[in-house]
Amino acid sequence: MTRNRNRGIVLMICTLVFVALVGAGQAADATIQANAAIQGEGRFYRATENMILFSGFFQGAIHVTNQKGDLMVNAASLTCPGTMNVDTTAKTTEGEGRCLFLTQDGTHAYGRWTCTGKAGEGCAGTFKVLGGTGRFNNASGQGDFTMTSTLTELTITVPQGGVTANFTGKLVWPELKLTTK
């Protein structure tokens, strides 16, 4: 009887150690609507006669306007490096970049964005969540987003060696779906 009892205790200890090392594996989901006023800076270069390349970053505070699900997403700040091509003849834009979100509780989430659009109308595309730290460690998900900014207004005249400039704008996520495993 003592032998069976010891086996039970050993089995229980092994289970607790396994759960502590691997994690409880609690899955959570959320669908959020959010926006962010952004400020950015970077460098504009003339890539061709009709193409201007922007390389820089933008940052701001995210405001969650609606949220559904059991994964709570509080307000966060974001910093997003990226590039944007502006075709001055066709008046189109195409961009891509990465984002780092820092939440109020100190956890991070990582993302990637791509967009296309018309100059002056914004750049719309897909935003993907690529993981993070803490409760976002195994996070994934995606949703549409739109970026409007004064970026294309700044590309009127770019000297041969490029120019550094600042811009302002807004990001909108009408429905970003998140899942943690």
Side-chain angles (χ1 to χ4, degrees), residues 59-87:
Q59 58 190 14
I62 297 174
H63 176 67
V64 177
T65 57
N66 192 8
Q67 178 165 246
K68 298 175 188 162
D70 49 0
L71 175 62
M72 293 304 294
V73 180
N74 298 322
S77 63
L78 71 122
T79 300
C80 303
T83 60
M84 183 79 67
N85 293 312
V86 180
D87 185 321

Side-chain angles (χ1 to χ4, degrees), residues 13-171:
I13 290 171
C14 288
T15 302
L16 290 173
V17 168
F18 178 77
V19 169
L21 291 175
V22 176
Q26 302 251 340
D29 295 311
T31 300
I32 65 167
Q33 293 174 339
N35 60 64
I38 58 171
Q39 294 182 341
E41 72 177 65
R43 192 125 175 107
F44 292 89
Y45 301 95
R46 184 158 298 282
T48 68
E49 184 179 327
N50 302 324
M51 183 71 64
I52 294 173
L53 169 68
F54 168 79
S55 178
F57 73 95
F58 56 86
Q59 58 190 14
I62 297 174
H63 176 67
V64 177
T65 57
N66 192 8
Q67 178 165 246
K68 298 175 188 162
D70 49 0
L71 175 62
M72 293 304 294
V73 180
N74 298 322
S77 63
L78 71 122
T79 300
C80 303
T83 60
M84 183 79 67
N85 293 312
V86 180
D87 185 321
T88 57
T89 303
K91 307 282 189 228
T92 58
T93 59
E94 181 178 21
E96 67 178 341
R98 301 284 181 150
C99 286
L100 167 66
F101 298 90
L102 176 60
T103 65
Q104 289 177 336
D105 65 4
T107 58
H108 293 87
Y110 308 113
R112 182 176 191 282
W113 58 271
T114 58
C115 68
T116 58
K118 288 276 194 189
E121 295 178 13
C123 197
T126 303
F127 188 91
K128 293 185 178 182
V129 177
L130 304 173
T133 63
R135 61 192 162 117
F136 298 107
N137 185 38
N138 291 312
S140 63
Q142 73 176 39
D144 294 336
F145 87 105
T146 302
M147 175 175 27
T148 55
S149 72
T150 59
L151 183 74
T152 55
E153 297 169 15
L154 302 171
T155 62
I156 307 284
T157 56
V158 175
Q160 188 63 32
V163 65
T164 300
N166 298 321
F167 65 94
T168 59
K170 184 175 184 174
L171 297 177

